[in-house]
Every structure is written in structure tokens, then in C-alpha cells.
Amino acid sequence: MRAAVCHAYGTPEDLVIEDVDPPVPAPGQVLVRVHAAAVNFPDVLFIAGKYQVKIPPPFIPGNEIAGEVIAAGEGARFSPGQRVAGTTFGAFAEQALLDASQAVLVPDDADFASAAAFGVTYRTAYYALRSTAAVREGDWVVVLGAAGGVGLAAVDLAVAMKARVLAAASSPEKLELCRQRGAEATVDYDQEDLKTRIRELTGDAARVVLDPVGGSYSEPALRGLARGGTFVTLGYAAGTIPKIPLNLVMLKDIRVRGMEIRTFATDYPDEAVRDDVELARMFADGIVRPYIGARFPLAETAAALRYVADRKVLGKVVIDVA
Ligand SMILES: NC(=O)c1ccc[n+]([C@@H]2O[C@H](COP(=O)([O-])OP(=O)(O)OC[C@H]3O[C@@H](n4cnc5c(N)ncnc54)[C@H](OP(=O)(O)O)[C@@H]3O)[C@@H](O)[C@H]2O)c1
């Protein structure tokens, strides 16, 4: 099978498209003919050897797939031909394994690209909104990097939860997309003063900030929160981890929380199950479907990752494998 292989930590352009042996499903796993694989910002970090968890090369990057079951290992509750999606390792390939316990059936009316793109970012955003920040109807929620993968998922889901969304991003095109997805207010945080605009646009009532960007954007966003507000740190796409003066937290009784998708289900198993069920229902009912801003063939996996690394992404980037 063809696959994008990382032979040594480096840039997207260092990936090699080559023939490799297809994986063999172990008990409890299914082998999937990959139709679509979604790209996430951490894929860029994985191949650079800069993610919190390091995979020794050689490896096939990519964590989200949707496709057809080709073969099922012993005890796996799926059969060949079924349409499935899930998170895994080795997604940027013609075939990949999924743990049956992690896989979900793709609804008949959903395409593979949407199903692949619904996994990581929507779960991240929903756990953060629903469980970590306990967003309620009518709350003002400020989303940073709001046109990116996690960001636009947060916009979609906060709108679905009937919260009021202030979307912050770096270009008119990105902010227009956020308005189309239901954001009530927008801020270009590279052009406007983020703290001041959050206070003005929300009437000093911002209850939650979701921050997958970090860098110089976090502190003004935290300063824009109302008293007793909740700041959720999710990631550092800007490349630096900010240091926040603690007096800001004290003066307005701010709650600072983190949410990390790999540990959330272990730390909060009941909430994770509830959130996953609610998310799956929203996807099946068509209430929330990801926006796919760019698509690439498997042969152009490097270009897909470069697109994300260069801050160009609108919503999700998908690799059409078959
Ligand atoms: N906590 C978790 O469990 C979890 C799960 C998934 C992802 N993450 C993390 O969340 C972050 C975002 O992931 P994502 O998949 O949403 O990424 P993404 O689609 O690339 O979005 C990131 C956004 O960050 C903004 N940004 C600001 N400076 C940037 C820079 N120098 N380079 C790239 N983007 C920059 C961009 O928006 P503007 O141009 O509008 O500023 C971009 O849209 C990553 O750090 C990722 O590791 C965390």
C-alpha cells in the first residue's frame, strides 16, 4: 500500500510517499481502507519530534481516518464493507488499523471527509465547552484561533449549545467564515486590541475563553474575561507557551483550566462517555458537520501539512486517500 512515511524528524517536505506492507489487525482491531484522513496541527509537531509524545521514526503520521472495513481481527464487532471512522496512528496511508472499541459507524448521509474530520477537534472543543468550562445557554464564549480546526469546532458547538460566540482570528476571510458558522461578534486580534474589544463586544460579560493558540494572544484574552470567568488553555499553535501574571487571576477570581484529549477520558470517564454520546448524536442528526477548507491527494501529504503549519487553514484539511 502507499503511505506517507516519516523516516527522520523534520518538516512536512521530508515525508516520503512509498510502498509499505499493510498492517495486520490484531484481536479487537479492524483493518480499514482509508478514504479520508484529516490533518491536525499536532501532526506537524509529531513529524518534527516536538509533540509531548514522541514516536520513533520510521512511522506513518496522521491520527484520524474514515473508510471501509476490509478485515476484522478476532472479537472486533465490525464486518467487511462497513463504513467506519475513528482516531488511530498511521492515518496517512491507503490502509490503517482502528481499535474497534474506538471506531464509530459513519451515518449513511455523511461523507468520509466529514466523518474523518469530526474526531479530534470536535471532541477537544466539546469536552472543553461542555465539561471543563460548563458552558450554559446564553453565555458569551470567546474562541481564539476561531477559524482553525479546534477553533471552528468550538464555534460550531458553542452555537449548537446556544451560547453567544465571539470569534477571534487573524484575517477578514477567517472572521467571515466564523460569522457564517454563527459567531455573533468577531475580533481581528492582529489588528484590534483583543482585551478592549472582548469587553466592548460582550458588554464585559465574557464568561469563557477557549484558547488553542497561546503566544501573545492568551493574556489579553484572559484580561477580557468578566469576573469569575473561566479560561481554558488547549494548545500553543502560535509556538510559545505564555506566562500569565497570577494577580490577573486573583483580581477577578478567574478559573484557569486545561483540557487534554488524551487524558480527559481517564480523568473524567463519566463526562467523556456523556460528551461522546452527545457529540455522536449531533453528528448523526446533521446538527454539526465540520467545515473542510482544503483537500489534498495522498501524494501531496506534505502540502497538506504545510498548509496547516503556515496558518492557512480554514476549518479542517483533509487528505482524500481513495
Ligand atoms: N488540548 C487538546 O487536547 C488538543 C487537541 C487537539 C489540538 N490541540 C492543540 O490545539 C492547537 C490548535 O490545533 P488545530 O488542529 O486547531 O490547529 P489549526 O487548525 O492549525 O489552528 C490553529 C490556529 O492557530 C492560529 N495561529 C496563531 N499563530 C499561529 C502560528 N504561528 N502557526 C499556526 N497557527 C497559528 C491560527 O489562527 P489565526 O491565523 O486566526 O491566528 C490557526 O487557525 C495546537 O496547538 C494543537 O496541538 C490540543
Side-chain angles (χ1 to χ4, degrees), residues 1 20-33 60 69-74 76 88-90 93-100:
M1 68 168 189
V20 298
D21 290 337
V24 177
Q29 292 184 321
V30 288
L31 180 63
V32 177
R33 177 176 296 113
I60 300 169
V69 174
I70 304 173
E74 191 189 327
T88 186
F89 290 99
E94 288 176 332
Q95 297 178 28
L97 298 171
L98 276 182
D99 282 340

PDB file of all heavy atoms in Angstrom, residues 1 20-33 60 69-74 76 88-90 93-100:
ATOM      1  N   MET A   1       0.848  -1.198   0.000  1.00  0.00           N
ATOM      2  CA  MET A   1       0.000   0.000   0.000  1.00  0.00           C
ATOM      3  C   MET A   1       0.881   1.245   0.000  1.00  0.00           C
ATOM      4  O   MET A   1       2.022   1.197   0.453  1.00  0.00           O
ATOM      5  CB  MET A   1      -0.892   0.009   1.250  1.00  0.00           C
ATOM      6  CG  MET A   1      -0.114   0.199   2.545  1.00  0.00           C
ATOM      7  SD  MET A   1      -1.171   0.543   3.962  1.00  0.00           S
ATOM      8  CE  MET A   1       0.049   0.977   5.212  1.00  0.00           C
ATOM      9  N   VAL A  20       4.571   0.378   1.372  1.00  0.00           N
ATOM     10  CA  VAL A  20       4.905  -0.347   2.613  1.00  0.00           C
ATOM     11  C   VAL A  20       3.915  -1.502   2.765  1.00  0.00           C
ATOM     12  O   VAL A  20       2.857  -1.515   2.125  1.00  0.00           O
ATOM     13  CB  VAL A  20       4.810   0.573   3.871  1.00  0.00           C
ATOM     14  CG1 VAL A  20       5.794   1.718   3.788  1.00  0.00           C
ATOM     15  CG2 VAL A  20       3.401   1.078   4.076  1.00  0.00           C
ATOM     16  N   ASP A  21       4.256  -2.449   3.629  1.00  0.00           N
ATOM     17  CA  ASP A  21       3.330  -3.563   3.866  1.00  0.00           C
ATOM     18  C   ASP A  21       2.114  -3.062   4.632  1.00  0.00           C
ATOM     19  O   ASP A  21       2.265  -2.274   5.579  1.00  0.00           O
ATOM     20  CB  ASP A  21       4.023  -4.647   4.706  1.00  0.00           C
ATOM     21  CG  ASP A  21       5.103  -5.359   3.911  1.00  0.00           C
ATOM     22  OD1 ASP A  21       5.019  -5.346   2.665  1.00  0.00           O
ATOM     23  OD2 ASP A  21       6.038  -5.889   4.546  1.00  0.00           O
ATOM     24  N   PRO A  22       0.925  -3.517   4.258  1.00  0.00           N
ATOM     25  CA  PRO A  22      -0.253  -3.105   5.029  1.00  0.00           C
ATOM     26  C   PRO A  22      -0.216  -3.693   6.435  1.00  0.00           C
ATOM     27  O   PRO A  22       0.354  -4.768   6.645  1.00  0.00           O
ATOM     28  CB  PRO A  22      -1.441  -3.666   4.234  1.00  0.00           C
ATOM     29  CG  PRO A  22      -0.884  -4.541   3.189  1.00  0.00           C
ATOM     30  CD  PRO A  22       0.597  -4.398   3.135  1.00  0.00           C
ATOM     31  N   PRO A  23      -0.795  -3.002   7.410  1.00  0.00           N
ATOM     32  CA  PRO A  23      -0.808  -3.552   8.774  1.00  0.00           C
ATOM     33  C   PRO A  23      -1.785  -4.721   8.877  1.00  0.00           C
ATOM     34  O   PRO A  23      -2.678  -4.869   8.046  1.00  0.00           O
ATOM     35  CB  PRO A  23      -1.279  -2.368   9.621  1.00  0.00           C
ATOM     36  CG  PRO A  23      -2.030  -1.479   8.686  1.00  0.00           C
ATOM     37  CD  PRO A  23      -1.476  -1.700   7.319  1.00  0.00           C
ATOM     38  N   VAL A  24      -1.594  -5.538   9.891  1.00  0.00           N
ATOM     39  CA  VAL A  24      -2.442  -6.720  10.104  1.00  0.00           C
ATOM     40  C   VAL A  24      -3.248  -6.506  11.386  1.00  0.00           C
ATOM     41  O   VAL A  24      -2.664  -6.168  12.421  1.00  0.00           O
ATOM     42  CB  VAL A  24      -1.560  -7.991  10.228  1.00  0.00           C
ATOM     43  CG1 VAL A  24      -2.422  -9.214  10.510  1.00  0.00           C
ATOM     44  CG2 VAL A  24      -0.732  -8.183   8.968  1.00  0.00           C
ATOM     45  N   PRO A  25      -4.567  -6.669  11.310  1.00  0.00           N
ATOM     46  CA  PRO A  25      -5.366  -6.403  12.519  1.00  0.00           C
ATOM     47  C   PRO A  25      -5.138  -7.440  13.617  1.00  0.00           C
ATOM     48  O   PRO A  25      -5.195  -8.639  13.363  1.00  0.00           O
ATOM     49  CB  PRO A  25      -6.811  -6.437  12.010  1.00  0.00           C
ATOM     50  CG  PRO A  25      -6.768  -7.206  10.728  1.00  0.00           C
ATOM     51  CD  PRO A  25      -5.406  -7.033  10.153  1.00  0.00           C
ATOM     52  N   ALA A  26      -4.868  -6.947  14.813  1.00  0.00           N
ATOM     53  CA  ALA A  26      -4.763  -7.813  15.994  1.00  0.00           C
ATOM     54  C   ALA A  26      -6.186  -8.041  16.525  1.00  0.00           C
ATOM     55  O   ALA A  26      -7.137  -7.397  16.067  1.00  0.00           O
ATOM     56  CB  ALA A  26      -3.904  -7.110  17.046  1.00  0.00           C
ATOM     57  N   PRO A  27      -6.356  -8.945  17.499  1.00  0.00           N
ATOM     58  CA  PRO A  27      -7.685  -9.101  18.094  1.00  0.00           C
ATOM     59  C   PRO A  27      -8.223  -7.745  18.569  1.00  0.00           C
ATOM     60  O   PRO A  27      -7.479  -6.941  19.135  1.00  0.00           O
ATOM     61  CB  PRO A  27      -7.434 -10.042  19.279  1.00  0.00           C
ATOM     62  CG  PRO A  27      -6.248 -10.855  18.844  1.00  0.00           C
ATOM     63  CD  PRO A  27      -5.381  -9.915  18.050  1.00  0.00           C
ATOM     64  N   GLY A  28      -9.486  -7.489  18.265  1.00  0.00           N
ATOM     65  CA  GLY A  28     -10.102  -6.225  18.683  1.00  0.00           C
ATOM     66  C   GLY A  28      -9.851  -5.071  17.738  1.00  0.00           C
ATOM     67  O   GLY A  28     -10.325  -3.958  17.982  1.00  0.00           O
ATOM     68  N   GLN A  29      -9.125  -5.324  16.647  1.00  0.00           N
ATOM     69  CA  GLN A  29      -8.854  -4.246  15.677  1.00  0.00           C
ATOM     70  C   GLN A  29      -9.518  -4.541  14.341  1.00  0.00           C
ATOM     71  O   GLN A  29      -9.763  -5.700  14.003  1.00  0.00           O
ATOM     72  CB  GLN A  29      -7.349  -4.114  15.433  1.00  0.00           C
ATOM     73  CG  GLN A  29      -6.569  -3.595  16.620  1.00  0.00           C
ATOM     74  CD  GLN A  29      -5.100  -3.397  16.268  1.00  0.00           C
ATOM     75  OE1 GLN A  29      -4.516  -4.189  15.543  1.00  0.00           O
ATOM     76  NE2 GLN A  29      -4.522  -2.338  16.786  1.00  0.00           N
ATOM     77  N   VAL A  30      -9.754  -3.471  13.582  1.00  0.00           N
ATOM     78  CA  VAL A  30     -10.204  -3.645  12.197  1.00  0.00           C
ATOM     79  C   VAL A  30      -9.192  -2.994  11.269  1.00  0.00           C
ATOM     80  O   VAL A  30      -8.552  -1.993  11.621  1.00  0.00           O
ATOM     81  CB  VAL A  30     -11.602  -3.039  11.935  1.00  0.00           C
ATOM     82  CG1 VAL A  30     -12.675  -3.873  12.590  1.00  0.00           C
ATOM     83  CG2 VAL A  30     -11.685  -1.589  12.379  1.00  0.00           C
ATOM     84  N   LEU A  31      -9.059  -3.605  10.080  1.00  0.00           N
ATOM     85  CA  LEU A  31      -8.229  -3.014   9.024  1.00  0.00           C
ATOM     86  C   LEU A  31      -9.171  -2.224   8.120  1.00  0.00           C
ATOM     87  O   LEU A  31     -10.207  -2.737   7.686  1.00  0.00           O
ATOM     88  CB  LEU A  31      -7.515  -4.101   8.236  1.00  0.00           C
ATOM     89  CG  LEU A  31      -6.613  -3.612   7.102  1.00  0.00           C
ATOM     90  CD1 LEU A  31      -5.460  -2.772   7.641  1.00  0.00           C
ATOM     91  CD2 LEU A  31      -6.071  -4.801   6.287  1.00  0.00           C
ATOM     92  N   VAL A  32      -8.808  -0.965   7.858  1.00  0.00           N
ATOM     93  CA  VAL A  32      -9.703  -0.052   7.135  1.00  0.00           C
ATOM     94  C   VAL A  32      -9.048   0.403   5.837  1.00  0.00           C
ATOM     95  O   VAL A  32      -7.858   0.753   5.829  1.00  0.00           O
ATOM     96  CB  VAL A  32     -10.003   1.182   8.019  1.00  0.00           C
ATOM     97  CG1 VAL A  32     -10.872   2.195   7.267  1.00  0.00           C
ATOM     98  CG2 VAL A  32     -10.685   0.754   9.314  1.00  0.00           C
ATOM     99  N   ARG A  33      -9.814   0.339   4.740  1.00  0.00           N
ATOM    100  CA  ARG A  33      -9.363   1.004   3.512  1.00  0.00           C
ATOM    101  C   ARG A  33      -9.671   2.484   3.713  1.00  0.00           C
ATOM    102  O   ARG A  33     -10.825   2.883   3.797  1.00  0.00           O
ATOM    103  CB  ARG A  33     -10.094   0.462   2.288  1.00  0.00           C
ATOM    104  CG  ARG A  33      -9.692   1.200   1.000  1.00  0.00           C
ATOM    105  CD  ARG A  33     -10.321   0.623  -0.251  1.00  0.00           C
ATOM    106  NE  ARG A  33      -9.877  -0.741  -0.490  1.00  0.00           N
ATOM    107  CZ  ARG A  33     -10.652  -1.827  -0.413  1.00  0.00           C
ATOM    108  NH1 ARG A  33     -11.929  -1.688  -0.095  1.00  0.00           N
ATOM    109  NH2 ARG A  33     -10.168  -3.023  -0.635  1.00  0.00           N
ATOM    110  N   ILE A  60       4.283   6.217  10.147  1.00  0.00           N
ATOM    111  CA  ILE A  60       3.320   6.870   9.253  1.00  0.00           C
ATOM    112  C   ILE A  60       2.519   7.836  10.119  1.00  0.00           C
ATOM    113  O   ILE A  60       1.868   7.416  11.081  1.00  0.00           O
ATOM    114  CB  ILE A  60       2.385   5.831   8.596  1.00  0.00           C
ATOM    115  CG1 ILE A  60       3.200   4.823   7.781  1.00  0.00           C
ATOM    116  CG2 ILE A  60       1.338   6.525   7.727  1.00  0.00           C
ATOM    117  CD1 ILE A  60       2.394   3.608   7.321  1.00  0.00           C
ATOM    118  N   VAL A  69     -14.269  -0.990   6.262  1.00  0.00           N
ATOM    119  CA  VAL A  69     -13.601  -2.131   6.903  1.00  0.00           C
ATOM    120  C   VAL A  69     -13.251  -3.171   5.831  1.00  0.00           C
ATOM    121  O   VAL A  69     -14.102  -3.550   5.020  1.00  0.00           O
ATOM    122  CB  VAL A  69     -14.515  -2.766   7.978  1.00  0.00           C
ATOM    123  CG1 VAL A  69     -13.883  -4.046   8.530  1.00  0.00           C
ATOM    124  CG2 VAL A  69     -14.791  -1.780   9.104  1.00  0.00           C
ATOM    125  N   ILE A  70     -11.975  -3.583   5.812  1.00  0.00           N
ATOM    126  CA  ILE A  70     -11.530  -4.650   4.898  1.00  0.00           C
ATOM    127  C   ILE A  70     -11.502  -5.983   5.632  1.00  0.00           C
ATOM    128  O   ILE A  70     -11.860  -7.020   5.098  1.00  0.00           O
ATOM    129  CB  ILE A  70     -10.096  -4.385   4.373  1.00  0.00           C
ATOM    130  CG1 ILE A  70      -9.999  -3.044   3.698  1.00  0.00           C
ATOM    131  CG2 ILE A  70      -9.656  -5.499   3.435  1.00  0.00           C
ATOM    132  CD1 ILE A  70      -8.551  -2.687   3.335  1.00  0.00           C
ATOM    133  N   ALA A  71     -11.021  -5.954   6.868  1.00  0.00           N
ATOM    134  CA  ALA A  71     -10.895  -7.193   7.646  1.00  0.00           C
ATOM    135  C   ALA A  71     -11.037  -6.861   9.121  1.00  0.00           C
ATOM    136  O   ALA A  71     -10.689  -5.760   9.551  1.00  0.00           O
ATOM    137  CB  ALA A  71      -9.537  -7.842   7.382  1.00  0.00           C
ATOM    138  N   ALA A  72     -11.565  -7.808   9.866  1.00  0.00           N
ATOM    139  CA  ALA A  72     -11.743  -7.593  11.301  1.00  0.00           C
ATOM    140  C   ALA A  72     -10.947  -8.632  12.070  1.00  0.00           C
ATOM    141  O   ALA A  72     -11.004  -9.824  11.754  1.00  0.00           O
ATOM    142  CB  ALA A  72     -13.220  -7.676  11.671  1.00  0.00           C
ATOM    143  N   GLY A  73     -10.202  -8.165  13.076  1.00  0.00           N
ATOM    144  CA  GLY A  73      -9.491  -9.090  13.949  1.00  0.00           C
ATOM    145  C   GLY A  73     -10.484  -9.801  14.863  1.00  0.00           C
ATOM    146  O   GLY A  73     -11.659  -9.404  14.969  1.00  0.00           O
ATOM    147  N   GLU A  74      -9.985 -10.822  15.541  1.00  0.00           N
ATOM    148  CA  GLU A  74     -10.845 -11.611  16.438  1.00  0.00           C
ATOM    149  C   GLU A  74     -11.544 -10.710  17.461  1.00  0.00           C
ATOM    150  O   GLU A  74     -10.904  -9.856  18.093  1.00  0.00           O
ATOM    151  CB  GLU A  74      -9.939 -12.617  17.163  1.00  0.00           C
ATOM    152  CG  GLU A  74     -10.674 -13.677  17.929  1.00  0.00           C
ATOM    153  CD  GLU A  74      -9.680 -14.479  18.772  1.00  0.00           C
ATOM    154  OE1 GLU A  74      -8.525 -14.663  18.347  1.00  0.00           O
ATOM    155  OE2 GLU A  74     -10.080 -14.864  19.892  1.00  0.00           O
ATOM    156  N   ALA A  76     -13.487  -8.236  17.046  1.00  0.00           N
ATOM    157  CA  ALA A  76     -13.829  -6.868  16.637  1.00  0.00           C
ATOM    158  C   ALA A  76     -15.271  -6.869  16.127  1.00  0.00           C
ATOM    159  O   ALA A  76     -15.631  -7.706  15.304  1.00  0.00           O
ATOM    160  CB  ALA A  76     -12.872  -6.384  15.568  1.00  0.00           C
ATOM    161  N   THR A  88      -6.540   7.025  15.349  1.00  0.00           N
ATOM    162  CA  THR A  88      -5.587   5.931  15.317  1.00  0.00           C
ATOM    163  C   THR A  88      -4.196   6.497  15.082  1.00  0.00           C
ATOM    164  O   THR A  88      -3.995   7.717  15.141  1.00  0.00           O
ATOM    165  CB  THR A  88      -5.967   4.946  14.179  1.00  0.00           C
ATOM    166  OG1 THR A  88      -5.109   3.820  14.247  1.00  0.00           O
ATOM    167  CG2 THR A  88      -5.871   5.583  12.803  1.00  0.00           C
ATOM    168  N   PHE A  89      -3.231   5.642  14.809  1.00  0.00           N
ATOM    169  CA  PHE A  89      -1.928   6.074  14.305  1.00  0.00           C
ATOM    170  C   PHE A  89      -1.773   5.537  12.885  1.00  0.00           C
ATOM    171  O   PHE A  89      -2.355   4.517  12.539  1.00  0.00           O
ATOM    172  CB  PHE A  89      -0.791   5.553  15.198  1.00  0.00           C
ATOM    173  CG  PHE A  89      -0.749   6.216  16.540  1.00  0.00           C
ATOM    174  CD1 PHE A  89      -1.289   5.601  17.652  1.00  0.00           C
ATOM    175  CD2 PHE A  89      -0.190   7.477  16.672  1.00  0.00           C
ATOM    176  CE1 PHE A  89      -1.274   6.226  18.890  1.00  0.00           C
ATOM    177  CE2 PHE A  89      -0.159   8.112  17.901  1.00  0.00           C
ATOM    178  CZ  PHE A  89      -0.705   7.489  19.017  1.00  0.00           C
ATOM    179  N   GLY A  90      -0.988   6.229  12.078  1.00  0.00           N
ATOM    180  CA  GLY A  90      -0.737   5.734  10.720  1.00  0.00           C
ATOM    181  C   GLY A  90      -1.856   6.040   9.750  1.00  0.00           C
ATOM    182  O   GLY A  90      -2.166   5.225   8.869  1.00  0.00           O
ATOM    183  N   ALA A  93      -2.229   6.846   4.891  1.00  0.00           N
ATOM    184  CA  ALA A  93      -1.894   5.614   4.182  1.00  0.00           C
ATOM    185  C   ALA A  93      -3.161   5.053   3.561  1.00  0.00           C
ATOM    186  O   ALA A  93      -4.272   5.419   3.945  1.00  0.00           O
ATOM    187  CB  ALA A  93      -1.299   4.600   5.159  1.00  0.00           C
ATOM    188  N   GLU A  94      -2.971   4.138   2.593  1.00  0.00           N
ATOM    189  CA  GLU A  94      -4.153   3.556   1.940  1.00  0.00           C
ATOM    190  C   GLU A  94      -4.915   2.609   2.866  1.00  0.00           C
ATOM    191  O   GLU A  94      -6.103   2.370   2.670  1.00  0.00           O
ATOM    192  CB  GLU A  94      -3.724   2.832   0.661  1.00  0.00           C
ATOM    193  CG  GLU A  94      -3.318   3.827  -0.422  1.00  0.00           C
ATOM    194  CD  GLU A  94      -2.784   3.155  -1.683  1.00  0.00           C
ATOM    195  OE1 GLU A  94      -2.235   2.037  -1.602  1.00  0.00           O
ATOM    196  OE2 GLU A  94      -2.908   3.779  -2.751  1.00  0.00           O
ATOM    197  N   GLN A  95      -4.224   2.039   3.852  1.00  0.00           N
ATOM    198  CA  GLN A  95      -4.894   1.175   4.834  1.00  0.00           C
ATOM    199  C   GLN A  95      -4.372   1.521   6.226  1.00  0.00           C
ATOM    200  O   GLN A  95      -3.196   1.863   6.389  1.00  0.00           O
ATOM    201  CB  GLN A  95      -4.616  -0.300   4.532  1.00  0.00           C
ATOM    202  CG  GLN A  95      -5.165  -0.739   3.170  1.00  0.00           C
ATOM    203  CD  GLN A  95      -4.850  -2.203   2.852  1.00  0.00           C
ATOM    204  OE1 GLN A  95      -4.697  -3.033   3.747  1.00  0.00           O
ATOM    205  NE2 GLN A  95      -4.766  -2.512   1.571  1.00  0.00           N
ATOM    206  N   ALA A  96      -5.255   1.423   7.201  1.00  0.00           N
ATOM    207  CA  ALA A  96      -4.841   1.722   8.581  1.00  0.00           C
ATOM    208  C   ALA A  96      -5.680   0.887   9.538  1.00  0.00           C
ATOM    209  O   ALA A  96      -6.763   0.403   9.182  1.00  0.00           O
ATOM    210  CB  ALA A  96      -5.015   3.210   8.880  1.00  0.00           C
ATOM    211  N   LEU A  97      -5.171   0.725  10.744  1.00  0.00           N
ATOM    212  CA  LEU A  97      -5.891  -0.034  11.767  1.00  0.00           C
ATOM    213  C   LEU A  97      -6.710   0.894  12.648  1.00  0.00           C
ATOM    214  O   LEU A  97      -6.324   2.047  12.893  1.00  0.00           O
ATOM    215  CB  LEU A  97      -4.897  -0.789  12.653  1.00  0.00           C
ATOM    216  CG  LEU A  97      -4.034  -1.839  11.963  1.00  0.00           C
ATOM    217  CD1 LEU A  97      -2.959  -2.346  12.926  1.00  0.00           C
ATOM    218  CD2 LEU A  97      -4.901  -2.992  11.465  1.00  0.00           C
ATOM    219  N   LEU A  98      -7.842   0.394  13.125  1.00  0.00           N
ATOM    220  CA  LEU A  98      -8.617   1.109  14.150  1.00  0.00           C
ATOM    221  C   LEU A  98      -8.921   0.121  15.262  1.00  0.00           C
ATOM    222  O   LEU A  98      -9.267  -1.037  14.979  1.00  0.00           O
ATOM    223  CB  LEU A  98      -9.962   1.590  13.596  1.00  0.00           C
ATOM    224  CG  LEU A  98     -10.064   2.900  12.838  1.00  0.00           C
ATOM    225  CD1 LEU A  98     -11.534   3.125  12.465  1.00  0.00           C
ATOM    226  CD2 LEU A  98      -9.553   4.064  13.679  1.00  0.00           C
ATOM    227  N   ASP A  99      -8.824   0.553  16.505  1.00  0.00           N
ATOM    228  CA  ASP A  99      -9.347  -0.267  17.591  1.00  0.00           C
ATOM    229  C   ASP A  99     -10.866  -0.247  17.478  1.00  0.00           C
ATOM    230  O   ASP A  99     -11.461   0.834  17.426  1.00  0.00           O
ATOM    231  CB  ASP A  99      -8.924   0.308  18.944  1.00  0.00           C
ATOM    232  CG  ASP A  99      -7.477  -0.044  19.257  1.00  0.00           C
ATOM    233  OD1 ASP A  99      -6.966  -1.001  18.644  1.00  0.00           O
ATOM    234  OD2 ASP A  99      -6.864   0.656  20.081  1.00  0.00           O
ATOM    235  N   ALA A 100     -11.459  -1.428  17.442  1.00  0.00           N
ATOM    236  CA  ALA A 100     -12.915  -1.485  17.268  1.00  0.00           C
ATOM    237  C   ALA A 100     -13.626  -0.720  18.388  1.00  0.00           C
ATOM    238  O   ALA A 100     -14.681  -0.113  18.169  1.00  0.00           O
ATOM    239  CB  ALA A 100     -13.374  -2.941  17.232  1.00  0.00           C
TER     240      ALA A 100
END
